[in-house]
């Protein structure tokens, strides 16, 4: 039997996080607003209006292009993409066709299996969004709020080879968009939308077969499921001797099925021509230089640096660079601490991440600053407090905003290392528990842990546990 491989390319629409729309001053994000409340004659395409380009859209798109290693053009043009659909009031969409802001570029995907997939970018351009059609109670409603919302459309080459790789592409792209600060990239809110082009071929073949386009795959799971379904369907068709036709399919998330929408349009169907109402974008070297001053170190570069510079395992480096503010937090804490970076990493991954998840905040919003975390670790290293007091301090600092040292002093949390004080408590415990002493002496030496636990309980966790253990061993001989 022939074995097939799947060939996938992804088209993504990224909503830029500007305050206003791309060609008018209406509010761009309408997620919580009533339909048709953020509209004006420009974005509704009334006759006689003129679009005015939002400069910030060009700047954010340029940042994104650079983050994708794409090449920007110093001169690019807007074009009209003509099609007729009820939610497109002008009858055309302002987009960029042959001379877009950027071209080329790539995104590398480190896969959990250990290899890296290199995904090329074929197209990167600015365009305006269309409205939204809602079918309800047998009627069709149209919301124009989304008309004129700034988008970047990005199209990959046919480089992805599995549903998992496609999912990973979206995960890494979402990370990058948030990292660079150009989009909220919330798929649920439509800030990041995805269509998947899928074809199959026998393993080992190098030609490309006709592909189908799956629309509306707007969550990571949907992308994975829809591609797997479509792969199976194409294999069945080919095995049955039928040809794959270039259909456009729609993914029905609720039912988990693909439906044929239409035979796919070609670019000729759109009759592109230059937008006569807008000047070309002139991205001078000076302007570009200015924009790129805001480009941070990229996540994968930082991930690699964390491994090299701090000797972190790749696993740690990956988690710590999942989000920019978390990685900044890590570096600031390491700097304040001065000790082993792996220790900071452990505390972040075990305790601080849990705090972030529970509170639904990002690392830069914590009252537990990198300096406070470092201070707690230093208090432990110096023997002033024990580990469990340190862990308890995390919450205390976060809720009160006070410094760890202050809390230790005012609540008397410092570890008791005074031999005579601990010895006294140990003796009390032995006197109170003759049965346990008996069984210890008859060979159940593991009870030592229980004895130490009793000391910690009596001394409210402040005793030096290893000292207590030594004293018990001595007393029980
Ligand atoms: Zn408007």
């Amino acid at each position: 039997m022939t074995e097939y491989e799947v060939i996938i390319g992804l088209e993504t629409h990224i909503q830029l996080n500007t305050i206003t729309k791309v060609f008018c001053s209406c509010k761009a994000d309408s997620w919580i607003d009533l339909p048709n409340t953020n509209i004006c004659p420009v974005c509704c395409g009334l006759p006689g209006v003129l679009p005015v380009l939002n400069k910030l859209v060009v700047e954010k798109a340029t940042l994104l292009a650079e983050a994708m290693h794409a090449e920007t053009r110093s001169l690019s043009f807007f074009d009209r993409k003509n099609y007729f659909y009820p939610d497109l009031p002008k009858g055309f969409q302002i987009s960029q066709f042959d001379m877009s802001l950027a071209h080329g570029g790539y995104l590398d995907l480190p896969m959990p299996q250990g290899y890296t997939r290199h995904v090329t970018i074929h197209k990167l351009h600015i365009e305006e969004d269309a409205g939204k059609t809602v079918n309800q109670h047998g009627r069709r409603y149209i919301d124009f709020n989304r008309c004129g919302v700034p988008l970047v459309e990005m199209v990959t080459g046919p480089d992805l080879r599995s549903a998992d790789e496609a999912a990973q592409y979206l995960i890494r792209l979402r990370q990058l968009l948030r990292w660079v600060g150009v989009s909220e990239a919330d798929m649920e809110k439509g800030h990041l939308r995805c269509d998947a082009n899928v074809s199959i071929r026998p393993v080992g073949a190098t030609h490309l077969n006709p592909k189908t386009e799956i629309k509306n795959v707007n969550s990571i799971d949907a992308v994975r499921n829809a591609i797997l379904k479509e792969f199976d369907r194409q294999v069945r068709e080919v095995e049955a001797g039928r040809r794959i036709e270039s259909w456009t399919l729609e993914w029905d998330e609720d039912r988990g099925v693909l439906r044929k929408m239409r035979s796919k349009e070609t670019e000729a169907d759109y009759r592109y021509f230059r937008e006569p109402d807008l000047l070309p974008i002139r991205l001078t070297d000076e302007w570009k230089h200015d924009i790129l001053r805001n480009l941070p170190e990229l996540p994968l570069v930082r991930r690699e640096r964390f491994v090299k510079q701090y000797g972190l395992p790749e696993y740690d480096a990956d988690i710590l660079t999942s989000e920019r503010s978390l990685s900044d937090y890590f570096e600031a804490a390491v700097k304040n601490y001065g000790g082993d970076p792996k220790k900071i990493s452990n505390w972040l991954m075990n305790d601080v991440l849990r705090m972030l998840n529970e509170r639904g905040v990002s690392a830069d919003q914590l009252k537990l600053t990198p300096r406070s975390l470092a201070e707690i670790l230093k208090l432990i290293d110096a023997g002033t407090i024990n580990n469990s007091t340190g862990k308890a301090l995390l919450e205390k600092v976060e809720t009160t905003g006070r410094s760890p040292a202050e809390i230790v002093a005012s609540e008397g949390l410092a570890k008791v290392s005074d031999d005579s004080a601990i010895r006294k408590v140990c003796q009390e415990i032995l006197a109170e528990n003759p049965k346990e002493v008996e069984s210890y002496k008859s060979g159940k030496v593991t009870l030592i842990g229980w004895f130490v636990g009793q000391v910690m309980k009596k001394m409210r966790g402040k005793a030096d546990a290893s000292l207590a253990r030594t004293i018990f061993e001595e007393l029980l001989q």
Side-chain angles (χ1 to χ4, degrees):
M1 226 180 90
T2 321
E3 267 207 57
Y4 296 91
E5 69 171 344
V6 65
I7 312 291
I8 307 156
L10 296 180
E11 295 184 21
T12 47
H13 283 94
I14 296 145
Q15 181 178 329
L16 301 177
N17 57 357
T18 55
I19 305 293
T20 57
K21 294 184 180 181
V22 56
F23 300 122
C24 62
S25 55
C26 292
K27 189 177 157 205
D29 198 277
S30 294
W31 177 246
I32 51 165
D33 297 329
L34 290 170
N36 298 310
T37 51
N38 297 319
I39 55 173
C40 74
V42 174
C43 51
C44 286
L46 299 191
V49 296
L50 283 175
V52 178
L53 177 61
N54 180 346
K55 196 175 160 195
L56 204 54
V57 169
V58 178
E59 298 187 346
K60 298 221 173 210
T62 302
L63 274 174
L64 175 56
E66 190 71 16
M68 297 299 294
H69 314 96
E71 225 167 286
T72 48
R73 290 189 173 93
S74 52
L75 186 66
S76 65
F77 296 88
F78 285 104
D79 301 275
R80 289 188 180 182
K81 180 180 180 179
N82 299 281
Y83 63 96
F84 292 93
Y85 207 71
D87 59 23
L88 189 71
K90 289 200 293 278
F92 62 86
Q93 179 185 25
I94 302 179
S95 181
Q96 294 190 294
F97 184 48
D98 54 335
M99 291 288 279
S100 60
L101 180 75
H103 58 103
Y106 64 88
L107 184 63
D108 277 332
L109 309 180
M111 294 299 294
Q113 294 87 337
Y115 66 94
T116 298
R117 173 65 69 201
H118 183 74
V119 184
T120 57
I121 302 301
H122 282 188
K123 271 167 65 176
L124 195 163
H125 66 254
I126 298 171
E127 64 182 25
E128 62 176 340
D129 207 346
K132 203 162 68 184
T133 307
V134 185
N135 291 305
Q136 234 171 39
H137 317 302
R139 285 181 177 219
R140 183 181 265 191
Y141 297 91
I142 298 183
D143 178 7
F144 290 125
N145 276 352
R146 225 174 55 180
C147 285
V149 167
L151 302 178
V152 165
E153 180 177 329
M154 228 160 55
V155 182
T156 76
D159 300 325
L160 297 154
R161 291 291 176 274
S162 70
D164 276 343
E165 288 185 8
Q168 193 61 223
Y169 177 82
L170 290 179
I171 291 169
R172 289 293 174 188
L173 177 61
R174 183 175 61 185
Q175 173 193 27
L176 187 70
L177 293 170
R178 290 174 177 169
W179 189 283
V180 178
V182 297
S183 172
E184 305 309 309
D186 193 334
M187 293 189 82
E188 205 172 291
K189 295 181 183 172
H191 296 155
L192 174 57
R193 281 171 258 159
C194 176
D195 304 329
N197 292 313
V198 179
S199 67
I200 62 166
R201 68 183 175 197
V203 172
T206 50
H207 65 280
L208 289 175
N209 283 319
K211 59 180 193 262
T212 53
E213 182 179 7
I214 312 173
K215 292 268 182 200
N216 274 332
V217 274
N218 293 327
S219 73
I220 310 265
D221 283 341
V223 166
R224 210 183 262 119
N225 296 337
I227 290 172
L228 289 174
K229 271 261 158 73
E230 177 57 5
F231 174 68
D232 287 347
R233 186 190 73 86
Q234 291 192 15
V235 170
R236 273 200 313 274
E237 290 293 299
V238 171
E239 288 283 302
R242 286 188 288 266
R243 280 181 45 215
I244 301 299
E245 289 179 64
S246 306
W247 289 346
T248 299
L249 303 163
E250 187 180 38
W251 175 246
D252 183 331
E253 177 86 70
D254 298 330
R255 295 193 197 144
V257 293
L258 290 161
R259 265 196 300 266
K260 183 184 172 187
M261 287 169 79
R262 54 179 183 256
S263 303
K264 195 173 162 43
E265 303 94 340
T266 63
E267 279 178 342
D269 296 328
Y270 292 123
R271 294 166 296 116
Y272 280 97
F273 63 88
R274 289 269 184 266
E275 166 59 59
D277 289 342
L278 283 164
L279 291 169
I281 301 172
R282 286 175 203 282
L283 183 64
T284 60
D285 289 347
E286 203 187 351
W287 189 18
K288 186 177 167 184
H289 182 81
D290 249 22
I291 297 168
L292 296 187
R293 273 196 312 208
N294 296 319
L295 188 72
E297 183 182 32
L298 298 178
L300 291 183
V301 177
R302 185 167 287 189
R303 177 180 182 261
E304 213 179 305
R305 183 167 64 76
F306 277 11
V307 172
K308 285 208 182 101
Q309 185 176 345
Y310 301 114
L312 292 183
E314 224 164 65
Y315 176 80
D316 293 38
D318 201 42
I319 292 180
L320 294 176
T321 56
S322 58
E323 208 226 330
R324 188 169 149 198
S325 70
L326 182 65
S327 69
D328 288 342
Y329 189 104
F330 167 75
E331 287 211 281
V334 167
K335 217 168 143 201
N336 275 287
Y337 178 48
D340 182 6
K342 175 66 178 139
K343 253 194 194 170
I344 296 280
S345 168
N346 289 346
W347 279 67
L348 281 182
M349 294 201 305
N350 295 327
D351 305 283
V352 178
L353 269 185
R354 183 177 38 77
M355 291 171 74
L356 294 178
N357 289 335
E358 280 169 9
R359 289 170 167 78
V361 297
S362 58
D364 55 346
Q365 293 169 304
L366 284 178
K367 277 195 213 133
L368 175 78
T369 58
R371 180 193 286 266
S372 304
L373 177 68
E375 197 184 324
I376 292 173
L377 264 70
K378 283 193 233 173
L379 287 169
I380 296 173
D381 289 351
T384 312
I385 57 172
N386 61 31
N387 216 53
S388 56
T389 306
K391 301 250 155 157
L393 269 177
L394 294 173
E395 285 288 334
K396 287 185 179 174
V397 172
E398 180 58 28
T399 38
T400 64
R402 294 164 70 198
S403 84
E406 255 176 69
I407 298 173
V408 168
S410 71
E411 296 191 18
L413 297 175
K415 186 162 78 176
V416 179
S417 307
D418 176 1
D419 184 286
S420 60
I422 295 178
R423 184 174 297 268
K424 195 169 147 263
V425 177
C426 290
Q427 282 162 339
E428 280 169 28
I429 286 165
L430 293 183
E432 288 160 13
N433 300 285
K435 249 181 22 209
E436 280 73 13
V437 172
E438 199 56 42
S439 42
Y440 179 89
K441 285 187 171 164
S442 62
K444 206 176 168 201
V445 289
T446 49
L447 269 174
I448 193 96
W450 182 83
F451 284 123
V452 174
Q454 298 305 303
V455 175
M456 296 307 270
K457 216 159 144 190
K458 276 209 172 185
M459 302 184 77
R460 291 180 28 236
K462 294 184 294 180
D464 182 333
S466 64
L467 184 57
R469 174 180 283 264
T470 316
I471 293 171
F472 272 124
E473 279 166 354
E474 186 200 311
L475 291 174
L476 285 163
Q477 265 194 3

